[in-house]
């Protein structure tokens, strides 16, 4: 699971490079913009409408807002892969070893993997993520980008934001539930962590 998360972080570190044009950071229309209205931006959906309880969008320019949106997009993509990273190890493990003498199959699922992964495993993940972040390894992905008309592109961008937001909430709940189960094994009376997908087992 941790390897999946690390790879996800590495792959998505450069999300801004291949984010749809409408979500990339745009230069402000004029210097020194004191306050902008973002109530009609992409991602404002019913029933919540414009949701900014902490006032993070108050008194910021368009460039800063675009950076926040890019960060939301990155976190949403990582969270989606994190949810997959929780589900897949329940039924499949990569062949091979994460470190000499330690097979992927020997690493427990979920938060229990944190202590089970040896130093060499952590080192290779940190190095890979750092390489993507510092040197821009992987770059942009032109393959697989569909050519969409503006209305369809906007619809897909909103869907991606929605899926990312849901995945961030799901990730937090998976971590909470898994951590509680690690502290108090069997507290929920269930044999498996993922219970809503019975076909997995």
């Amino acid at each position: 699971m941790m390897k999946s998360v690390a790879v996800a972080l590495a792959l998505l570190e450069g999300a801004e490079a291949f984010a749809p044009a409408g979500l990339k950071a745009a230069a402000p229309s004029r210097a020194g913009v004191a306050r902008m209205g973002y109530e009609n931006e992409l991602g404002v959906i019913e029933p919540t409408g414009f949701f900014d309880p902490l006032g993070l969008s108050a008194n910021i320019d368009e460039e800063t807002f675009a950076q926040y949106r890019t960060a939301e997009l990155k976190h949403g993509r990582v969270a989606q892969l994190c949810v997959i990273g929780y589900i897949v190890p329940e039924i499949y493990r990569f062949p091979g070893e994460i470190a000499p003498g330690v097979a992927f199959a020997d690493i427990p699922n979920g938060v229990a993997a944190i202590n089970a992964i040896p130093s060499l495993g952590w080192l290779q993940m940190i190095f890979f993520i750092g390489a993507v972040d510092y040197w821009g390894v992987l770059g942009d992905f032109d393959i697989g980008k569909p050519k969409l008309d503006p209305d369809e592109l906007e619809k897909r961008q909103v869907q991606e934001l929605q899926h990312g937001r849901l995945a961030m909430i799901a990730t937090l709940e998976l971590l909470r539930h898994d951590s509680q189960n690690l502290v108090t094994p069997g507290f929920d009376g269930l044999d498996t962590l993922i219970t809503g997908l019975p076909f997995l087992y």
Side-chain angles (χ1 to χ4, degrees), residues 54-174:
L54 299 179
L56 298 177
S57 65
N59 302 314
I60 62 171
D61 58 24
E62 289 182 53
E63 185 175 11
T64 303
F65 182 83
Q67 290 173 350
Y68 288 171
R69 175 51 51 84
T70 299
E72 180 184 18
L73 183 63
K74 281 185 185 182
H75 294 153
R77 289 172 175 175
V78 170
Q80 289 175 75
L81 288 175
C82 182
V83 172
I84 295 298
Y86 250 104
I87 295 173
V88 171
E90 293 281 318
I91 57 172
Y92 174 79
R93 295 301 176 103
F94 288 109
E97 299 180 337
I98 191 171
V102 183
F104 286 118
D106 295 335
I107 303 296
N109 194 11
V111 295
I114 293 173
N115 291 329
I117 295 175
S119 301
L120 187 58
W122 284 113
L123 187 62
Q124 65 181 336
M125 289 187 285
I126 292 169
F127 177 78
F128 184 61
I129 293 170
V132 171
D133 187 37
Y134 188 77
W135 292 297
V137 176
L138 302 179
D140 195 359
F141 295 98
D142 290 322
I143 298 174
K145 288 183 180 178
K147 297 184 184 299
L148 304 171
D149 61 70
D151 290 339
E152 182 64 20
L153 176 62
E154 182 175 314
K155 177 183 174 183
R156 299 252 185 122
Q157 288 174 328
V158 171
Q159 288 173 341
E160 183 177 20
L161 284 169
Q162 288 177 298
H163 295 162
R165 291 166 178 170
L166 179 61
M168 286 187 270
I169 294 171
T171 298
L172 288 174
E173 172 53 22
L174 282 167

